Amino acid sequence: MSNSSPRGRPRSSKRVREDEKLRQRLIQLRGQDVAGLHTIGAIWRRQRLSCPDRSTLQAYVANQLDAEMADYVLFHLTEIGCRVCRPISMI
Ligand SMILES: [Zn+2]
C-alpha cells in the first residue's frame, strides 16, 4: 500500500492571504503609532495631566507669570488646546 498521497505544491494562495492579513495588521499598528498616540499632546490630552489651576491661568492672563510658567501655559492652551483652560484664559 503506498501512502504517498500527492503532497502537491504548498497552497501559495492561502499563504499569500495570511501574509496579507499580517501586513494589514502591521499597517494598522504602525498607523496608530504614526497617528500620534505617543505624542506628548495626545498623552496630555488623554490624561489631562497638569492643567494649570485657575489662579495660574489668571496670573497668565494678567501677565504675572514668569517666562517659564507662561510658556507652559501657552503651550497648554495652544498646542494642547485644552478646552477646560481656554475659556478661563480668555476672561
Ligand atoms: Zn487644561
Side-chain angles (χ1 to χ4, degrees):
M1 219 198 236
S2 113
N3 200 16
S4 61
S5 58
R7 285 258 150 115
R9 287 165 289 171
R11 289 195 196 149
S12 56
S13 64
K14 188 184 176 214
R15 265 195 92 129
V16 168
R17 216 172 304 141
E18 291 294 310
D19 282 355
E20 180 61 19
K21 231 191 287 180
L22 193 71
R23 204 173 66 87
Q24 291 295 341
R25 207 179 142 71
L26 276 174
I27 290 171
Q28 203 182 14
L29 290 173
R30 287 223 117 176
Q32 286 173 356
D33 210 33
V34 172
L37 279 184
H38 301 298
T39 63
I40 295 172
I43 292 167
W44 214 323
R45 234 187 319 258
R46 201 165 338 132
Q47 303 189 354
R48 285 263 298 283
L49 283 177
S50 50
C51 274
D53 60 36
R54 230 187 158 81
S55 61
T56 304
L57 283 167
Q58 283 164 351
Y60 169 78
V61 174
N63 225 343
Q64 287 170 348
L65 290 178
D66 58 48
E68 198 180 323
M69 201 61 199
D71 236 38
Y72 163 73
V73 175
L74 184 69
F75 176 79
H76 187 75
L77 295 174
T78 59
E79 295 296 316
I80 310 294
C82 180
R83 285 171 181 227
V84 179
C85 297
R86 275 175 89 154
I88 302 170
S89 73
M90 286 172 187
I91 294 167

